[in-house]
Amino acid sequence: MAQKEDKSKYPDIVVEAYYSGYFDVFEQLYGGQGLNFPIRMNHDKILGENKEKWFVSLPKDSYIILEFTDNEIIDAPNQPDIIVVEHGCCDEWAEIYVSNDGKEFSFLGVVNDCGQDKLDLADIGFDKPVRFIKVVGLDVKCASPGFDLVSVHALPGANKRLYVGMDQVEEYFEEEKTDEILILENVYFDTDEDQIQYSGTVDLNKVIEKLIEFPEIKIKVSGHTDNVASAAYNLNLSKRRAKAVKNYLIQNNIDESRIETEGFGLTRPLRTNETEEGRAQNRRVEIRRLN
């Protein structure tokens, strides 16, 4: 499958942010010690290309944890894998930790704002894909004391895309083997509903065409939700949504034996659940080929 320009090298979600309380002057700016998401600066700005150079300042022992949801960082041979961009050059430093599951973090190295900004996973023998990065501030210099984080992202060659969109549906089914996941981008559901919105049938009909063309292919349909309501309720709802897609495929002459379903509830958000736009994208259905 032809690899298109990769725009997924940046993290997608701020998992956690902590202000250490190192400076009293920052109490109002950061929201106080130990609060959930205490950093009041616009942390969403650091999740993309960030040409405007917005930053989150991390005074000593403050940290931020970022999650990559639609890609992961792998150890590319003979090159650094991760770059950490800081604002300015005042000899400020940060520790960088990496994790596959967001629970166990491994120390990767230190970076500064004056040119030491790239790290190689091979240096610590980290052989799992990186899905989470933790940045811990060390110093308190410059006009905004602390490591002023602008962005973290994968370097070319180290970025592995996990998802493809409907614009690549033909390549997705024509490729003999793929480990990427197809997002049914227009198959959305209203909050608390498992009825497919009418616009979603366009995507599903394209999938049906390819399944008819390639009758040997089997798929797994997975449902996902936003974080409205309890985890248990959302798990059940996600299973119902996956089953709704399966039923639509069966009603359009795709044999039931070719379709498996599963639900993940609210456990795998692609975007923040703090906005309606993010929640809408998290109420999604995906397809993964089984052969």
Side-chain angles (χ1 to χ4, degrees):
M1 177 164 48
Q3 188 84 350
K4 293 192 174 184
E5 180 184 357
D6 224 326
K7 298 181 180 179
S8 64
K9 61 183 180 181
Y10 295 98
D12 307 290
I13 295 177
V14 176
V15 176
E16 186 178 347
Y18 173 76
Y19 168 54
S20 64
Y22 193 90
F23 282 115
D24 290 340
V25 71
F26 281 139
E27 287 294 323
Q28 183 176 1
L29 176 62
Y30 285 82
Q33 183 174 354
L35 299 180
N36 189 31
F37 287 93
I39 296 178
R40 298 304 187 194
M41 298 170 125
N42 192 343
H43 50 259
D44 287 339
K45 292 284 188 179
I46 70 172
L47 297 178
E49 191 172 357
N50 197 3
K51 292 182 179 179
E52 298 174 329
K53 301 292 185 182
W54 285 78
F55 61 85
V56 168
S57 189
L58 301 172
K60 184 176 174 61
D61 297 327
S62 301
Y63 66 80
I64 193 166
I65 299 176
L66 307 169
E67 180 180 357
F68 297 78
T69 63
D70 56 9
N71 67 305
E72 55 192 17
I73 302 174
I74 59 174
D75 180 18
N78 305 314
Q79 68 160 73
D81 305 304
I82 296 169
I83 183 169
V84 182
V85 181
E86 206 264 6
H87 180 74
C89 179
C90 298
D91 196 30
E92 293 182 321
W93 296 75
E95 293 177 336
I96 307 301
Y97 297 81
V98 293
S99 173
N100 172 259
D101 60 8
K103 299 176 182 178
E104 296 185 8
F105 282 83
S106 300
F107 175 67
L108 179 58
V110 295
V111 294
N112 68 17
D113 57 349
C114 296
Q116 185 173 322
D117 56 3
K118 299 178 181 67
L119 296 168
D120 190 345
L121 293 170
D123 289 343
I124 62 168
F126 197 87
D127 56 1
K128 296 180 180 179
V130 171
R131 302 291 298 276
F132 300 84
I133 293 180
K134 181 178 182 178
V135 183
V136 183
L138 295 179
D139 291 311
V140 286
K141 303 173 184 176
C142 286
S144 176
F147 188 84
D148 300 328
L149 179 66
V150 172
S151 67
V152 178
H153 58 85
L155 289 166
N159 190 43
K160 180 182 178 182
R161 184 178 55 182
L162 299 178
Y163 296 95
V164 297
M166 288 301 298
D167 61 331
Q168 293 180 276
V169 65
E170 292 190 8
E171 296 97 324
Y172 185 78
F173 282 97
E174 290 169 3
E175 186 74 9
E176 289 187 5
K177 184 178 181 180
T178 178
D179 57 0
E180 294 174 331
I181 295 171
L182 177 68
I183 294 183
L184 302 179
E185 295 165 302
N186 297 305
V187 180
Y188 288 126
F189 303 84
D190 291 330
T191 298
D192 198 34
E193 293 292 337
D194 60 5
Q195 296 298 312
I196 301 170
Q197 294 180 1
Y198 177 76
S199 60
T201 60
V202 176
D203 280 3
L204 289 176
N205 290 340
K206 292 179 181 178
V207 170
I208 289 166
E209 289 178 7
K210 304 312 292 185
L211 288 173
I212 292 174
E213 183 178 354
F214 297 98
E216 74 283 1
I217 291 179
K218 297 182 179 181
I219 62 171
K220 178 171 283 189
V221 180
S222 62
H224 302 263
T225 69
D226 57 29
N227 67 345
V228 177
S230 70
Y233 180 85
N234 277 303
L235 178 60
N236 178 264
L237 179 61
S238 67
K239 293 178 179 179
R240 284 161 41 204
R241 288 175 174 172
K243 187 66 178 295
V245 169
K246 177 178 180 178
N247 289 340
Y248 185 86
L249 299 180
I250 293 172
Q251 291 165 9
N252 286 272
N253 301 316
I254 304 302
D255 193 277
E256 181 177 3
S257 65
R258 299 173 62 191
I259 312 165
E260 297 181 14
T261 63
E262 61 185 346
F264 290 99
L266 51 75
T267 62
R268 296 188 179 182
L270 284 182
R271 297 294 182 264
T272 178
N273 275 309
E274 300 303 311
T275 66
E276 176 51 40
E277 180 183 3
R279 289 190 293 272
Q281 292 185 64
N282 291 334
R283 298 190 296 267
R284 70 192 188 279
V285 174
E286 302 167 349
I287 285 178
R288 179 162 55 89
R289 282 183 50 176
L290 299 179
N291 61 335

